[in-house]
Amino acid sequence: VVYIPDGTKGAPEIQMTETDITRKVELEIRTLFSLTVVNLVVAALALAMGVGLATSQITSGADGPGAIIGVILSVIAGLLLAGIGIRWLISVADVLDGIDDVKDGFEENRRIGNGTGITATIIQMMATYRLKRPTIHQMAAISKAAGILFAMGTFIQGMLFAILIPEASMLTLATGTVGLMFFGGFAIICLTMPGRLLGYTSEWDEYIANTERAEVLLKERLGGLDLGKFESVSDVDDGEQGERSA
Amino acid sequence: MKGRRSLYELYWEILVFCREEHTFTSIINRCDLNSKKGQEYISFLQGKGYLEVTVKENHRTYETTVEGLEYIKLFNSLYRELFEKRPSFRL
């Protein structure tokens, strides 16, 4: 019998094998890990480029009021980008810590058969997601902010570049063009990242909402509505290790 | 297990762990619970007939009953089925 998320029973369906589900879980963990690593790389580059943008413009020795305003804006944008890079790295490290736990749990659980091991991994993924959800949202917001700054940096660099073009050497033109392409590329990556991250969170939010509907069946199983004080508890925070005693 | 688990997930974890006899201390250690919460959950499951207690040489051990195993089975099928239906997340 197949249980539909709203609690009703449906017609039997072809079900995935244990191996199929294990592969799906593995793919999901790998995908999130890859997404987080991409975030890590972009965050580190945002930090480096922010510092680079700020310091290179200070030492550029630009002349004229237009160029000086451009330098000031670049320094501000660079410092902001560096700050965002640091905050971003901290968020990514937090999420990576959760993914590491899930990966370790998955390796341990895959040795257990009868559907129990895979359920344990699914629960661990959900538990980690519930805990890291705000951080993932934070990552998406930071990525967006970095994208805006990269876009601003691209614009400012482009303007400065345009001012310098008449008297620039071929080497300056070449390095300037490459720099602009890098900034523009990172702006695009950072601005598309929130979509990926929020896509991930919305899929998990939906899954958790479905499991909450499935809990109606579990509640029935545990004795109808006779759950007493436990009924109102939906989530349990595990930060109670200190209270643990034998 | 780190993270935030629902009550039903915690019950499942306790019952799965107690498929073999375990003491109270090993249950709360394995399931990352403090002693107060652990006592509440175990008492609840015991009261519902999902866990049975055995006293041997002053040691209380807990083991999942047939009803508890049924709960595990139902839980596994529900979570697994919902996960099967969930679209795979891809980059």
Side-chain angles (χ1 to χ4, degrees), chain B residues 71-84:
Chain B
Y71 175 84
I72 293 171
K73 210 171 159 185
L74 174 67
F75 188 98
N76 283 348
S77 71
L78 284 172
Y79 268 53
R80 187 184 150 130
E81 194 179 311
L82 287 169
F83 194 80
E84 278 176 23

Side-chain angles (χ1 to χ4, degrees), chain A residues 20-87:
Chain A
D20 291 337
I21 298 178
T22 307
R23 276 201 199 118
K24 192 173 176 180
V25 168
E26 197 172 12
L27 181 72
E28 182 110 349
I29 295 168
R30 255 194 230 158
T31 308
L32 181 61
F33 181 72
S34 308
L35 187 61
T36 314
V37 168
V38 171
N39 266 270
L40 182 74
V41 172
V42 180
L45 285 168
L47 173 60
M49 290 174 94
V51 171
L53 179 66
T55 53
S56 68
Q57 295 303 319
I58 290 170
T59 56
S60 68
D63 273 343
I68 289 170
I69 290 170
V71 169
I72 292 169
L73 285 174
S74 289
V75 170
I76 293 169
L79 291 177
L80 274 173
L81 196 55
I84 284 174
I86 292 170
R87 191 69 200 83

Side-chain angles (χ1 to χ4, degrees), chain A residues 2-3 16 18 21 24 28 35 101 119 127 130 204 207 221-222 227 230 234 236 238 244-245, chain B residues 2-7 9 12 28 32 34 44 48 50 70 76 79-81 83-84 86 91:
Chain A
V2 173
Y3 291 94
M16 289 171 90
E18 188 83 9
I21 298 178
K24 192 173 176 180
E28 182 110 349
L35 187 61
D101 288 337
T119 310
R130 287 186 190 113
W204 269 107
Y207 180 73
R221 182 80 202 176
L222 282 168
L227 284 167
F230 297 100
S234 58
V236 178
D238 293 329
R244 197 191 298 165
S245 70
Chain B
K2 286 183 188 173
R4 292 172 67 87
R5 294 160 293 174
S6 76
L7 199 54
E9 290 161 5
W12 177 87
I28 61 167
D32 279 333
N34 65 43
F44 175 77
K48 291 289 172 188
Y50 287 6
E70 288 294 318
N76 283 348
Y79 268 53
R80 187 184 150 130
E81 194 179 311
F83 194 80
E84 278 176 23
R86 184 177 177 275
L91 282 174

Side-chain angles (χ1 to χ4, degrees), chain B residues 10-18 27 31 33 41 45 51:
Chain B
L10 278 168
Y11 290 151
W12 177 87
E13 269 192 77
I14 294 170
L15 292 173
V16 166
F17 185 57
C18 291
I27 296 170
C31 300
L33 298 167
Y41 301 151
L45 290 170
L51 273 181

Side-chain angles (χ1 to χ4, degrees), chain A residues 224-237:
Chain A
L225 296 172
D226 185 28
L227 284 167
K229 60 189 167 182
F230 297 100
E231 198 181 0
S232 61
V233 181
S234 58
D235 287 314
V236 178
D237 196 339

Side-chain angles (χ1 to χ4, degrees), chain A residues 25 39 47 51 54 62 110 145 169 179 192 202 208 219 231:
Chain A
V25 168
N39 266 270
L47 173 60
V51 171
R110 74 189 307 176
S169 65
T192 52
S202 71
I208 287 174
K219 194 181 268 188
E231 198 181 0

